[in-house]
Amino acid sequence: MMELGYLRLPRIQVHVAKTVEEALKLLEQDGEQGILAGGTYTVSALAEGKTKLRKFVDISRIRELAKLREENGKAVVGALVTHAELSKLLGHRIPALKTFWKTYSAPTVANLATVGGSVMLRKSSEDLISILLVLDAELRFQTSDGESRVKLCDFMVEKASSKKLLTAVSFEQSGSCYFEKLWLGVSRIPIVSVALNVRVEQRVELARVAVSHKDGNIPNRVYAVERFLEGRVLDDSTVEKAVHQLSQSINPLSDIIAPAWYRREAAAVLFKRLLKQAAG
Ligand SMILES: Cc1cc2nc3c(=O)[nH]c(=O)nc-3n(C[C@H](O)[C@H](O)[C@H](O)COP(=O)(O)OP(=O)(O)OC[C@H]3O[C@@H](n4cnc5c(N)ncnc54)[C@H](O)[C@@H]3O)c2cc1C
């Protein structure tokens, strides 16, 4: 054990990679290594004994992974772009990212926590996942065999592989994408969150809905509600029925923070607010 401030951390070995190629080479040399990005999850996992990994490849200095650019109107965000940078750079275009920032539980952490770290954790604590799901995000992975692309909604139900290096996430820059989160009092521990991306002309042309606890502790899209909304006029009756359908279509986890029934009810309330906001 070594002591770092108040943290009691096990001794770990860290290899620093400065390029994607170097990171891939290091990861291939030893399959027992984890990836370290912002470290905000991994360091506490080490301190709390939640991971057995003792060797890491630190990717935080790979500059090419910290860039954000546009490709055919879509945002292509490097895996190392931090939560703070993302909301600052795209919050004026995507309202959900503004709320993501306003409701962030520990803003200092947002300067370290990365987009890639959030996605790879694949769990309900990661607010960004629901937002990226409704923006039809696609993940770009790199291995020594080349690049592969996976839709985020498919990735959420795939078997996890720790061997992949996520390099970037691409998504639509929608001005009608909204996010709401309910948290627990002063501790700001998230209870449930909902994201909505909707395009309304006379009727709903496109609807994307995601909940942080779609199945247990895993965020994903709520396809039944999306299908219900598309093609309908977004009036009070549609809103009520869609909200009811959402509460019937999710199967949240019960834990010490909240029982499943409470999360279901809370998600319905948040979703109603988002639909009202979208309807103007
Ligand atoms: C006190 C606190 C409050 C927080 N509040 C919020 C909040 O309100 N909202 C919110 O959304 N988030 C919040 N977070 C951040 C969030 O929960 C995660 O800790 C963060 O997103 C992880 O990012 P990281 O870069 O630090 O990941 P790391 O800890 O470096 O890594 C996390 C996991 O992802 C893997 N990984 C990371 N990058 C890659 C990559 N490029 N390719 C492959 N695998 C990779 C790692 O191997 C590891 O398994 C908070 C965190 C803390 C500690």
Side-chain angles (χ1 to χ4, degrees), residues 6-7 15 31 79 97 103 164-165 195 205 229:
Y6 292 111
L7 289 178
H15 286 108
L97 290 178
T103 59
K164 288 180 172 176
L165 177 68
E205 303 276 320
L229 281 170

Side-chain angles (χ1 to χ4, degrees), residues 50-104:
K50 285 187 186 157
T51 176
K52 292 200 164 50
L53 289 171
R54 294 294 180 263
K55 291 186 269 181
F56 294 90
V57 175
D58 177 359
I59 61 166
S60 65
R61 295 185 212 170
I62 306 180
R63 287 176 147 183
E64 60 189 283
L65 298 188
K67 292 181 181 158
L68 188 151
R69 63 179 199 282
E70 250 185 37
E71 220 176 76
N72 303 324
K74 286 190 178 181
V76 181
V77 175
L80 287 178
V81 169
T82 66
H83 291 180
E85 286 164 345
L86 182 73
S87 20
K88 191 173 156 204
L89 294 169
L90 295 182
H92 63 290
R93 291 195 192 162
I94 304 172
L97 290 178
K98 249 190 189 167
T99 317
F100 167 64
W101 179 246
K102 271 198 220 151
T103 59
Y104 206 90

Side-chain angles (χ1 to χ4, degrees), residues 108-268:
T108 45
V109 173
N111 290 314
L112 290 171
T114 64
V115 172
S118 267
V119 168
M120 295 307 287
L121 283 170
R122 295 203 232 213
K123 52 183 185 150
S124 59
S125 57
E126 306 309 306
D127 299 339
L128 213 45
I129 294 182
S130 296
I131 298 173
L132 293 173
L133 278 165
V134 299
L135 292 170
D136 285 333
E138 189 178 64
L139 311 180
R140 299 183 181 183
F141 289 101
Q142 192 73 39
T143 64
S144 47
D145 296 332
E147 190 188 75
S148 61
R149 297 187 182 194
V150 183
K151 285 187 173 178
L152 177 59
C153 54
D154 296 334
F155 178 72
M156 295 311 294
V157 292
E158 240 183 33
K159 202 165 171 284
S161 162
S162 55
K163 300 238 184 304
K164 288 180 172 176
L165 177 68
L166 178 70
T167 54
V169 183
S170 69
F171 53 86
E172 305 285 345
Q173 303 187 67
S174 163
S176 50
C177 173
Y178 309 99
F179 173 74
E180 283 271 354
K181 170 164 97 172
L182 180 71
W183 61 41
L184 194 68
V186 191
S187 69
R188 293 189 151 202
I189 294 172
I191 296 173
V192 72
S193 61
V194 183
L196 168 73
N197 181 17
V198 68
R199 195 170 64 237
V200 187
E201 303 291 340
Q202 309 284 16
R203 291 168 184 272
V204 176
E205 303 276 320
L206 171 133
R208 295 282 183 270
V209 181
V211 175
S212 58
H213 295 72
K214 164 70 176 66
D215 293 298
N217 195 25
I218 311 288
N220 215 336
R221 281 169 55 186
V222 192
Y223 297 106
V225 178
E226 295 177 359
R227 282 194 298 272
F228 172 79
L229 281 170
E230 283 176 351
R232 288 179 198 264
V233 175
L234 194 54
D235 56 16
D236 287 350
S237 155
T238 302
V239 169
E240 288 306 326
K241 286 179 186 154
V243 166
H244 177 71
Q245 183 148 27
L246 180 111
S247 65
Q248 300 300 301
S249 310
I250 61 174
N251 185 21
L253 166 94
S254 272
D255 62 12
I256 192 168
I257 308 297
W261 69 263
Y262 185 80
R263 285 203 164 95
R264 195 174 289 117
E265 296 272 315

